């Protein structure tokens, strides 16, 4: 099986970017080990702190965030860092070529129940017209990402990543400590019979989205041609990995009863990187209004509605929301 670096060289990825990707994946190998240790190394449970999102921080959130931050600061390849666990951007190396944003441990509520969790990361070219301390380094559309990926800590530790070409899947060989190519090109089936949504939010959705879900629940007893099944992982990285692996649609629509903050998922380090992976696997990724990757960001912790997965199913959903 092919190792990661030759794949990146074959894709003509710049050597500086290859070295940065290696840094991120080295940190993820350590995170994979810590996650695997679980209770054996006293890393489960919560801290007494909350992050800027108002979420209780798990011990492993802090450990993973610090690991990634330390290694990126040391790499010399990163000008500015953004993290779900950091209120503000962190200036790293002045004049360095890249900026990195990450969710160090997406789905961390799954940690204590041994559920799927993962690290989501995204890389952009640094901007020379703003300082390394400025959040404006990340005022770049998702289409500007030079690399997007996640490392999923499950029965296997898997890396899904794209550098602009196909979304490829690698498996961490824990005996050799290297990522081996296991899927040359991820390809999301156009059609699906599987949807992912948190049904407990049913009474918070728009009329259009509620109508869409009602028709999925009726399946071929209603207007749809087939019966649908439902999955909800509680970790976007796990749900989107299932969609990338066998098709499906993942939805986190707006909460109409929370006009101040209708969306939950974060654009910079959740929606954008996963949207790039989905699109480069022939899928589609939208909010309730527009293509996710085309959004002009306003701030680093900005939230957006997310509808992504099998192209035909996403189009069907957007019809119900009257979005062409
Ligand atoms: P809920 C995890 O906290 C997360 O940000 C995503 O990974 C996940 O899809 C979503 O929130 C789960 O949200 O409302 O089902 O707990």
């Amino acid at each position: 099986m092919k190792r990661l670096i030759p794949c990146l060289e074959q894709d003509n990825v710049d050597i500086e970017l290859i070295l940065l990707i290696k840094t991120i994946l080295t940190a993820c190998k350590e995170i994979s080990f810590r996650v695997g240790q679980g209770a054996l190394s006293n890393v489960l449970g919560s801290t007494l702190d909350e992050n800027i999102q108002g979420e209780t921080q798990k011990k492993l959130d802090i450990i993973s965030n610090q690991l990634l931050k330390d290694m990126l600061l040391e790499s010399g390849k990163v000008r500015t860092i953004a993290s779900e666990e950091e209120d503000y951007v962190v200036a790293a190396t002045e004049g360095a070529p890249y900026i990195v944003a990450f969710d160090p441990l997406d789905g961390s509520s799954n940690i204590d129940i041994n559920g799927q969790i993962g690290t989501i990361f995204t890389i952009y070219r640094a901007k020379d017209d703003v300082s390394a301390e400025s959040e404006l380094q990340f005022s770049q559309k998702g289409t500007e990402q030079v690399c997007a990926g996640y490392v999923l800590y499950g029965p296997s530790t898997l890396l899904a990543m794209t550098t602009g070409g196909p979304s490829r899947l690698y498996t961490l060989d824990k005996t050799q400590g290297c990522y081996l190519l296991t899927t040359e090109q991820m390809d999301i089936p156009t059609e699906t019979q599987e949807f992912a949504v948190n049904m407990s939010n049913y009474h918070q959705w728009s009329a259009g989205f509620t109508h869409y879900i009602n028709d999925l629940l009726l399946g071929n007893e209603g207007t749809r041609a087939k019966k649908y099944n439902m999955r909800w992982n509680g970790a976007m990285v796990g749900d989107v990995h299932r969609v990338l692996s066998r098709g499906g649609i993942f939805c986190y629509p707006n909460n109409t009863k929370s006009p101040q903050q209708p969306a939950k998922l974060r654009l910079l380090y959740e929606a954008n990187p996963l949207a790039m992976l989905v699109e480069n696997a022939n899928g589609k990724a939208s909010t309730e209004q527009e293509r996710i990757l085309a959004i002009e960001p306003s701030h680093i912790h900005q939230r957006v509605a997310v509808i992504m997965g099998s192209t035909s199913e996403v189009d069907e959903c957007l019809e119900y929301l009257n979005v062409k």
Side-chain angles (χ1 to χ4, degrees):
M1 284 182 181
K2 240 171 140 180
R3 290 181 172 224
L4 172 70
I5 302 306
C7 291
L8 295 178
E9 289 166 343
Q10 170 198 320
D11 289 345
N12 298 313
V13 176
D14 176 90
I15 183 61
E16 294 285 288
L17 182 53
I18 290 179
L19 294 173
L20 174 53
I21 290 167
K22 275 188 73 175
T23 299
I24 293 170
L25 297 183
T26 302
C28 291
K29 270 195 279 191
E30 176 61 24
I31 294 170
S32 172
F33 174 74
R34 300 291 187 92
V35 166
Q37 285 292 303
L40 299 179
S41 54
N42 187 31
V43 293
L44 301 184
S46 301
T47 67
L48 298 175
D49 302 319
E50 273 191 359
N51 61 17
I52 191 171
Q53 332 282 342
E55 297 163 341
T56 301
Q57 290 182 305
K58 299 284 188 181
K59 288 180 193 170
L60 266 174
D61 279 325
I62 305 297
I63 293 167
S64 307
N65 186 60
Q66 199 59 50
L67 263 170
L68 280 157
K69 225 170 64 172
D70 291 347
M71 293 191 73
L72 290 172
L73 286 167
E74 209 177 288
S75 73
K77 307 291 179 212
V78 184
R79 194 171 308 186
T80 309
I81 297 167
S83 166
E84 184 200 38
E85 301 301 335
E86 300 285 340
D87 295 359
Y88 309 103
V89 298
V90 176
T93 306
E94 197 56 58
Y98 297 105
I99 61 175
V100 178
F102 54 82
D103 181 351
L105 220 48
D106 176 58
S108 48
S109 60
N110 282 348
I111 290 173
D112 298 345
I113 56 156
N114 202 35
Q116 276 188 328
I117 50 182
T119 298
I120 306 172
F121 61 90
T122 176
I123 305 173
Y124 295 78
R125 286 182 188 78
K127 294 165 76 168
D128 291 325
D129 57 348
V130 292
S131 76
E133 290 78 16
S134 171
E135 183 172 301
L136 294 176
Q137 282 287 346
F138 290 96
S139 294
Q140 302 187 49
K141 291 180 181 179
T143 47
E144 298 303 307
Q145 296 174 99
V146 295
C147 177
Y150 60 76
V151 178
L152 182 64
Y153 310 111
S156 302
T157 293
L158 300 180
L159 163 68
M161 187 170 70
T162 174
T163 52
S167 295
R168 302 192 196 286
L169 189 65
Y170 305 80
T171 302
L172 177 64
D173 176 342
K174 294 182 181 176
T175 50
Q176 299 181 57
C178 59
Y179 293 87
L180 300 177
L181 181 68
T182 40
T183 304
E184 181 91 19
Q185 155 127 18
M186 300 180 92
D187 187 12
I188 301 175
T190 311
E191 308 286 337
T192 185
Q193 291 173 246
E194 198 162 60
F195 69 98
V197 71
N198 182 339
M199 288 299 287
S200 70
N201 298 328
Y202 184 82
H203 294 293
Q204 297 163 6
W205 299 330
S206 69
F209 189 78
T210 305
H211 183 191
Y212 170 65
I213 294 295
N214 286 340
D215 280 355
L216 292 188
L217 293 171
L218 284 170
N220 51 13
E221 290 170 31
T223 60
R224 302 308 297 266
K226 51 208 167 185
K227 179 165 173 31
Y228 282 75
N229 198 0
M230 198 203 96
R231 289 283 182 275
W232 188 248
N233 196 301
M236 184 181 188
V237 65
D239 280 313
V240 173
H241 181 70
R242 186 188 54 254
V243 168
L244 280 162
S245 306
R246 67 182 190 211
I249 184 169
F250 171 86
C251 305
Y252 212 110
N254 284 325
N255 172 352
T256 57
K257 295 184 176 166
S258 171
Q260 299 307 316
Q261 184 170 285
K264 168 160 192 180
L265 301 178
R266 278 56 57 109
L267 175 65
L268 175 59
Y269 40 78
E270 288 177 318
N272 262 338
L274 296 180
M276 184 177 181
L277 283 162
V278 164
E279 286 199 2
N280 290 356
N282 306 314
K284 187 161 185 171
S286 178
T287 66
E288 293 183 7
Q289 278 82 35
E290 60 187 312
R291 182 190 178 204
I292 287 173
L293 293 181
I295 296 173
E296 193 65 58
S298 57
H299 66 86
I300 57 170
H301 297 301
Q302 166 181 1
R303 298 167 186 257
V304 291
V306 173
I307 298 165
M308 57 170 72
S310 295
T311 305
S312 300
E313 197 57 52
V314 171
D315 285 339
E316 188 76 33
C317 178
L318 295 177
E319 293 253 326
Y320 280 77
L321 301 174
N322 303 316
V323 176
K324 287 293 171 209

